[in-house]
Amino acid sequence: MKIRSIHIYNHDGQRRDLTFKVEGLNVITGRSSTGKSALSEIIEYCMGRSSFNVPEGVIRDKVAWFAVIYQFEKEQILIAKPSPPSGGASCSTAMLRRGVQLQAPELMNLAVNADDNSVVELLSRLLGIPENRTDVALEHSRDSYEANVKHTFYYLFQKQGLIANKDQLFYRQNEQYQPQAIRDTLPILLGVSSHDRYELESRLRTAQRDLRINKKQLEQARNAVDTSHEQAIGLYSEARSVGVIGDEGSPNADGIINALRSALSWKPEKVPDDDGSRISLLEEEISQLRQDRRDIQARIDAARQFAKRAGGYENEASEQLDRLASIKALPKNPDSGEWQWPFSERNLAMESPVAAALLNELESLDRELRIATGQRPKLEAYLAELTSKVDGAAGAIRQKEAELSAAISANEAISQMGNRNNAAARVVGRISLFMETLLPNEELARLEAQNRRLNNKVEQLEDQIGADDSDERLTSILNNISANLSRYIQKFDAEFSPYPARLNLPQLTIIFDRPERPVPMGRTGGGENHLAYHLSALLALHLFAAKNNRPIPRFLMIDQPTQVYFPSEQVYSDADGSVQKTEADADLDAVRRLFELLLKFTQDEVPGFQLIVTEHANLRDHWFQEALVEQPWTKPPALVPEEWQSR
């Protein structure tokens, strides 16, 4: 897998193409802020990374789509991705196109048809990354995962600021979780974990899972055999206490099992419906009857009070009449029967107002007395009627209270019947579970035979995997890489080059084995030395991958490596891709030695390997000028044309 070309599109449909040689050295040199360092970000973005790390500024403002055409042995893959919308930091949508010889499409023909997961899956498969799973020990908390093309990024990019960093050897090594990802996936990419091993490990995991299940079933079966008799006796006793099983004396073990088996056919007693609404209705009726009785009693009390007052009046009137009659003071007229005034003018041939008034009063008293005396029978009848109603209400209340008591008793009986059924149902349920787990002897024998077979299978698979001896294979591979690492460091004539250097995977650094003590890269000095160590490690790694056909892309991008050969970063930045400034300011021999070593790597060490270097330096040597992708970017030209408009 190599880089065929990079394409960027503005919002008006204009396209900028940058084409590389898929074999050999490619150099892009020029001024600062022309987009050279953004090339690696674009390539990574179009290899399935969702994060968009292109710096803010011209590129983000003017570019709508990014596209990269990747060259494989028999086909090309175009992956295009839009710039994240609204200045976002990520985008996971993409366009995929495959073909033998692809051309960059026009903007109008770009359309999303895939996502980053599809991109990663396709590139991983075309690279030949085998089915795999990282090896994570059981005591570790992190999950196992698959190595894919994104795990090759560590070895494809040496960006500005990293190329001469003594504390960080690989790209993104300083980010959280990435060091462990490198340790987990590099052995897979180097061929330590083969496809056959992956298949064996997959079969082993399946066999171990089946064995764990079998052990659990076997343990349950043995426990069931050991405790089944005691459990059966306990369940038999409970079943008798709730009426599920009748009294059958003292049966033996088989008799108990048979009795428990018969208990499974138990049916609950039919429980009548709970008439809770009738209780509520009766309570309401009783309350109304009591209220009616209180109302009638109040009317009786009022009538009796009235009768008492009327009786007092009658007594007083009768006494007055009796007194008048006894003294004959007011005799009646024998002819008319009316009371008469003996001294009236009529009787004396005289008329008197006093006599008339007294006679009228006596007549009124007599009339009222007759009325009061005549109403007494009606009042007594009314009181008798009310008393009868009170008695009737009391009787109705007693009847309703009896009905309420009966309804409550019936509901209690229904509840007790339901509780008995519930208790019996619980016991029957436990009996059912017991009978299901009560395994016959032949089932126990079958589980034991299965356990022996699975144990043998697991042991065989472990022996096969153990015979692969991954640790020794990884050590051998790292020793091979370290041998070439030492050789490249010697070519750079870097410090500690006389001593063997080795790639230390646990610490992700280079260690020099001096006779006195080992020296890690972090304790070395000099930017030129750190550059030599970085490039030597990556070249040695790619050499091994190419020679052994390992699934790592056959390209390496290096950003501004010769800055260590200039007096200062400012002088290096001012070189602007100029041959004259390079010759005037740089350690020319060191610059030339670096590029000659890179060129020979692509010609002699790994023929056809692709190296892409972005630089400020420039050499007048013919071979260097042949390696230039374009004329130095002096703004113009640059990655993004100046005439492009911002969106």
Side-chain angles (χ1 to χ4, degrees):
M1 176 181 173
K2 302 174 185 177
I3 310 300
R4 182 69 185 88
S5 56
I6 296 176
H7 311 273
I8 58 175
Y9 300 78
N10 72 355
H11 298 273
D12 297 327
Q14 295 173 298
R15 189 183 74 216
R16 165 82 158 96
D17 302 324
L18 189 62
T19 303
F20 299 93
K21 293 181 293 185
V22 294
E23 296 182 356
L25 179 64
N26 294 262
V27 179
I28 299 175
T29 187
R31 293 176 55 185
S32 296
S33 302
T34 53
K36 299 186 302 297
S37 297
L39 294 177
S40 62
E41 304 291 356
I42 295 172
I43 292 172
E44 188 178 3
Y45 182 57
C46 291
M47 284 181 70
R49 186 174 185 184
S50 299
S51 300
F52 186 65
N53 297 319
V54 172
E56 291 285 349
V58 173
I59 301 176
R60 282 180 177 257
D61 294 340
K62 295 185 177 182
V63 179
W65 277 75
F66 302 87
V68 179
I69 296 179
Y70 298 99
Q71 181 69 55
F72 286 85
E73 184 177 358
K74 296 181 180 180
E75 66 175 313
Q76 294 179 345
I77 304 295
L78 179 140
I79 299 174
K81 294 183 67 175
S83 181
S86 304
S90 65
C91 175
S92 60
T93 58
M95 171 183 169
L96 270 175
R97 182 175 291 179
R98 303 176 65 175
V100 177
Q101 193 70 33
L102 295 177
Q103 300 296 326
E106 298 298 327
L107 178 64
M108 67 180 67
N109 296 323
L110 295 177
V112 169
N113 62 5
D115 58 16
D116 284 337
N117 290 334
S118 302
V119 170
V120 170
E121 191 277 331
L122 175 63
L123 295 182
S124 300
R125 180 159 46 84
L126 293 178
L127 269 176
I129 297 178
E131 289 186 86
N132 64 85
R133 203 75 184 170
T134 55
D135 185 14
V136 179
L138 293 176
E139 62 270 16
H140 292 169
S141 60
R142 68 183 189 278
D143 294 329
S144 179
Y145 54 92
E146 292 184 5
N148 56 53
V149 68
K150 290 199 289 187
H151 295 108
T152 67
F153 292 176
Y154 311 119
Y155 323 112
L156 304 181
F157 305 106
Q158 281 283 297
K159 302 190 179 185
Q160 183 183 14
L162 169 63
I163 191 68
N165 188 334
K166 67 177 181 178
D167 298 316
Q168 181 182 343
L169 181 59
F170 297 116
Y171 173 51
R172 298 187 66 189
Q173 180 182 328
N174 61 331
E175 298 179 21
Q176 190 177 21
Y177 308 122
Q178 300 305 317
Q180 189 59 53
I182 296 173
R183 299 185 191 101
D184 288 341
T185 59
L186 183 57
I188 295 173
L189 297 175
L190 293 178
V192 173
S193 182
S194 64
H195 180 68
D196 292 339
R197 179 184 175 87
Y198 172 77
E199 290 294 333
L200 289 173
E201 289 175 344
S202 178
R203 289 168 55 193
L204 177 60
R205 285 192 294 270
T206 302
Q208 288 173 333
R209 181 198 61 198
D210 293 341
L211 180 59
R212 287 193 298 270
I213 295 173
N214 171 265
K215 285 182 177 179
K216 185 175 182 180
Q217 292 175 340
L218 185 58
E219 181 182 2
Q220 290 175 344
R222 287 171 175 167
N223 290 338
V225 170
D226 293 339
T227 61
S228 60
H229 186 61
E230 290 79 2
Q231 290 178 342
I233 292 174
L235 290 172
Y236 179 80
S237 176
E238 290 185 43
R240 287 184 57 187
S241 66
V242 296
V244 174
I245 297 176
D247 188 359
E248 300 180 2
S250 301
N252 57 18
D254 292 338
I256 290 175
I257 296 298
N258 291 332
L260 293 177
R261 188 174 289 111
S262 66
L264 298 177
S265 61
W266 170 84
K267 301 294 183 183
E269 298 179 28
K270 184 177 181 180
V271 180
D273 293 336
D274 182 358
D275 194 5
S277 60
R278 175 165 173 75
I279 293 177
S280 300
L281 181 62
L282 287 172
E283 289 176 342
E284 292 177 0
E285 291 179 355
I286 291 172
S287 177
Q288 184 61 45
L289 287 172
R290 287 173 176 168
Q291 182 62 44
D292 293 344
R293 185 177 64 179
R294 286 193 293 271
D295 293 343
I296 295 171
Q297 188 63 47
R299 290 161 61 189
I300 290 175
D301 292 342
R304 286 176 176 170
Q305 188 67 25
F306 175 78
K308 183 178 180 181
R309 290 196 299 269
Y313 174 77
E314 290 177 10
N315 292 334
E316 291 180 3
S318 297
E319 289 177 0
Q320 182 65 17
L321 288 174
D322 289 342
R323 282 195 297 271
L324 292 175
S326 64
I327 62 174
K328 305 295 185 178
L330 297 174
K332 290 185 178 180
N333 188 325
D335 296 329
S336 63
E338 296 179 353
W339 294 99
Q340 59 184 353
W341 176 247
F343 305 106
S344 65
E345 292 182 356
R346 185 176 54 186
N347 294 332
L348 298 177
M350 297 177 63
E351 290 186 0
S352 171
V354 175
L358 183 58
L359 290 174
N360 289 336
E361 182 66 24
L362 290 174
E363 289 176 359
S364 175
L365 180 63
D366 185 56
R367 187 170 54 253
E368 290 177 0
L369 183 60
R370 286 197 302 272
I371 292 173
T373 304
Q375 287 180 345
R376 177 173 293 279
K378 295 181 180 180
L379 182 59
E380 290 176 351
Y382 178 66
L383 286 172
E385 180 185 355
L386 292 179
T387 301
S388 176
K389 288 183 178 180
V390 167
D391 293 340
I397 290 172
R398 287 193 296 273
Q399 180 181 350
K400 294 297 181 181
E401 287 178 341
E403 292 180 16
L404 177 61
S405 177
I408 292 174
S409 298
N411 277 359
E412 290 177 352
I414 291 172
S415 176
Q416 291 175 358
M417 187 179 298
N419 290 338
R420 186 167 60 250
N421 283 341
N422 291 339
R426 284 194 294 270
V427 173
V428 171
R430 292 171 58 200
I431 292 173
S432 175
L433 177 62
F434 170 76
M435 297 302 293
E436 289 176 2
T437 57
L438 184 64
L439 298 177
N441 292 335
E442 55 269 21
E443 179 66 14
L444 180 61
R446 185 189 68 81
L447 289 173
E448 290 176 340
Q450 185 183 39
N451 181 264
R452 290 191 296 271
R453 180 177 59 81
L454 289 172
N455 270 315
N456 291 334
K457 184 176 181 180
V458 168
E459 290 176 1
Q460 290 175 0
L461 290 171
E462 287 176 341
D463 290 342
Q464 288 179 275
I465 293 174
D468 188 46
D469 205 358
S470 297
D471 290 340
E472 290 188 7
R473 291 180 61 198
L474 178 60
T475 300
S476 176
I477 290 173
L478 292 178
N479 286 340
N480 275 273
I481 293 174
S482 297
N484 287 307
L485 165 64
S486 299
R487 182 168 60 87
Y488 288 128
I489 291 176
Q490 291 172 0
K491 288 187 176 183
F492 277 106
D493 195 22
E495 188 178 11
F496 299 109
S497 59
Y499 305 108
R502 54 186 166 90
L503 178 62
N504 184 286
L505 186 58
Q507 299 180 33
L508 297 180
T509 190
I510 296 171
I511 295 180
F512 297 94
D513 290 319
R514 297 182 65 185
E516 303 85 6
R517 62 184 179 278
V519 179
M521 183 176 68
R523 293 212 302 264
T524 63
E528 296 182 23
N529 296 320
H530 300 148
L531 169 67
Y533 304 153
H534 276 251
L535 292 182
S536 297
L538 290 171
L539 294 179
L541 184 62
H542 279 285
L543 175 62
F544 178 87
K547 295 296 185 183
N548 294 276
N549 196 29
R550 302 314 308 150
I552 297 177
R554 300 291 188 263
F555 73 87
L556 172 62
M557 294 196 69
I558 308 171
D559 188 21
Q560 304 179 32
T562 64
Q563 60 182 320
V564 298
Y565 301 133
F566 283 75
S568 67
E569 290 186 12
Q570 184 61 49
V571 173
Y572 174 68
S573 179
D574 292 341
D576 293 342
S578 166
V579 172
Q580 292 76 16
K581 290 185 178 180
T582 301
E583 293 176 342
D585 298 326
D587 182 345
L588 199 59
D589 291 337
V591 172
R592 183 174 287 108
R593 181 175 63 242
L594 168 64
F595 280 105
E596 285 179 343
L597 189 151
L598 296 178
L599 179 64
K600 289 181 179 179
F601 181 84
T602 66
Q603 293 175 342
D604 303 333
E605 301 273 0
V606 185
F609 190 83
Q610 184 183 43
L611 270 168
I612 301 175
V613 183
T614 53
E615 261 297 338
H616 288 283
N618 197 350
L619 297 175
R620 65 176 66 251
D621 302 71
H622 176 72
W623 57 266
F624 188 92
Q625 295 299 312
E626 286 289 323
L628 292 179
V629 175
E630 293 184 343
Q631 289 301 309
W633 289 0
T634 55
K635 209 173 186 179
L639 176 62
V640 179
E642 286 191 344
E643 63 271 17
W644 280 14
Q645 299 298 315
S646 300
R647 54 183 169 182

